[in-house]
Amino acid sequence: MSCLLMKIGLDGIGPYNLIALRFGIAFFAMSLIFLPRYRQLSAATLAKGVFMGIILFLIFYGMVNGVNHTTASTAGFLTSTTVVMVPVLECLSKRTLPSKTIVISILLSVAGLFLLTAKDGIVFDTGAAYCLTGAFFHAVHIIVLARLAK
């Protein structure tokens, strides 16, 4: 659904303007809500927030450019591969092999995502590469946030 809405949004404005608009609205809204807590902000917390913001920008950069260069169904499928990438990246970061349950779950997830979203097949083009990049950074975001958040 999100990919379809981004595709519609890209008909009216450019990809970087769409990212800036989304981030700007979120920054304004969160600033209004959390303004009193800004005084308690430490340099370490600010650095973590900036780091997570950069990762979020990379997610949206990949997704918006991907949707702009490929079909919405292909973008939706490839963006959903985040679900598969998280356990794989976790295993790589911990330097362990995934269990049989995780391998079977990954295979079933990929097959299910493909059956649900790929009506005309998956075409690997520039947009697909951008979508996979966004999905990769989304998986990284989930893992890093789990470690940084308390």
Side-chain angles (χ1 to χ4, degrees):
M1 180 68 156
S2 157
C3 290
L4 179 62
L5 294 176
M6 278 195 283
K7 189 83 166 169
I8 292 168
L10 287 170
D11 289 339
I13 60 174
Y16 299 106
N17 290 336
L18 182 64
I19 293 171
L21 184 64
R22 290 181 75 168
F23 273 65
I25 291 170
F27 176 77
F28 181 71
M30 292 295 107
S31 293
L32 289 176
I33 294 170
F34 294 108
L35 188 61
R37 295 189 66 185
Y38 281 171
R39 292 185 189 106
Q40 304 166 359
L41 189 64
S42 68
T45 303
L46 182 62
K48 290 175 186 177
V50 168
F51 180 64
M52 295 304 290
I54 290 169
I55 294 174
L56 277 174
F57 170 77
L58 293 171
I59 293 167
F60 282 99
Y61 175 81
M63 287 177 25
V64 168
N65 281 308
V67 168
N68 201 25
H69 291 94
T70 192
T71 64
S73 63
T74 300
F77 169 73
L78 294 174
T79 302
S80 299
T81 59
T82 298
V83 174
V84 175
M85 289 185 192
V86 170
V88 171
L89 290 176
E90 276 287 330
C91 288
L92 288 174
S93 71
K94 293 178 181 176
R95 297 180 184 192
T96 60
L97 291 174
S99 66
K100 287 182 184 180
T101 307
I102 290 176
V103 172
I104 291 169
S105 299
I106 289 170
L107 293 174
L108 288 173
S109 296
V110 169
L113 287 170
F114 180 78
L115 292 173
L116 286 172
T117 59
K119 296 192 177 19
D120 298 326
I122 295 294
V123 178
F124 196 81
D125 53 5
T126 304
Y130 278 121
C131 288
L132 284 174
T133 301
F136 170 78
F137 282 111
H138 195 190
V140 169
H141 182 264
I142 291 168
I143 293 168
V144 170
L145 185 62
R147 292 184 181 165
L148 291 181
K150 298 201 182 299

